[in-house]
Amino acid sequence: DINLSSDTYTTDNNHTTRPIHTNPAFIQQLKDDLRDHRMILFRNQTLTGQRQVDISNTLGKIQSFFHHHPQSPHTDILRASNDPAVGCTNVGRSGWHNDGIYQTRPFQFQTM
């Protein structure tokens, strides 16, 4: 089990101890698994907004193209909802889609 919400530490080949989400071997394995399986689910995680952004930044530069909702835990996290008091409404109303598909170079990875 991997707990991304805590400061779980690993030791890499260089005997460097670091939080698992910053371990280069873990990051590469995560990218490889995402390419192979298209989706990975980490169950039972309690991530702060900042931790989710930190993990997302290990996959590549975050691109935020939306308005920040006051209930969002971080300015780079879109909080979507049917209730305008809870999050941004009318988001993704065209059905299943890939964010960034309209760009010249679509996103390689997406975190939710």
Side-chain angles (χ1 to χ4, degrees):
D1 288 344
I2 295 174
N3 185 352
L4 297 172
S5 60
S6 71
D7 286 324
T8 303
Y9 288 90
T10 64
T11 303
D12 61 22
N13 293 337
N14 296 323
H15 305 291
T16 302
T17 302
R18 65 182 85 217
I20 193 166
H21 72 278
T22 65
N23 183 316
F26 172 77
I27 295 165
Q28 188 58 54
Q29 185 65 55
L30 181 59
K31 288 179 178 182
D32 292 345
D33 288 346
L34 282 166
R35 284 187 189 104
D36 290 347
H37 304 287
R38 305 286 184 214
M39 185 172 105
I40 298 175
L41 178 63
F42 292 97
R43 296 180 186 272
N44 302 317
Q45 303 292 312
T46 305
L47 301 177
T48 64
Q50 185 61 57
R51 179 58 59 93
Q52 183 175 349
V53 169
D54 291 345
I55 292 166
S56 297
N57 271 319
T58 66
L59 299 173
K61 185 178 183 310
I62 291 179
Q63 296 182 12
S64 300
F65 298 103
F66 44 78
H67 298 287
H68 175 69
H69 191 277
Q71 294 293 325
S72 178
H74 192 281
T75 56
D76 283 325
I77 296 176
L78 172 63
R79 185 174 175 102
S81 175
N82 293 330
D83 181 348
V86 177
C88 298
T89 59
N90 295 320
V91 176
R93 60 189 182 274
S94 63
W96 182 256
H97 65 279
N98 292 341
D99 289 347
I101 196 75
Y102 55 86
Q103 295 189 352
T104 304
R105 190 166 179 220
F107 307 141
Q108 282 188 313
F109 304 105
Q110 181 173 332
T111 60
M112 302 173 95

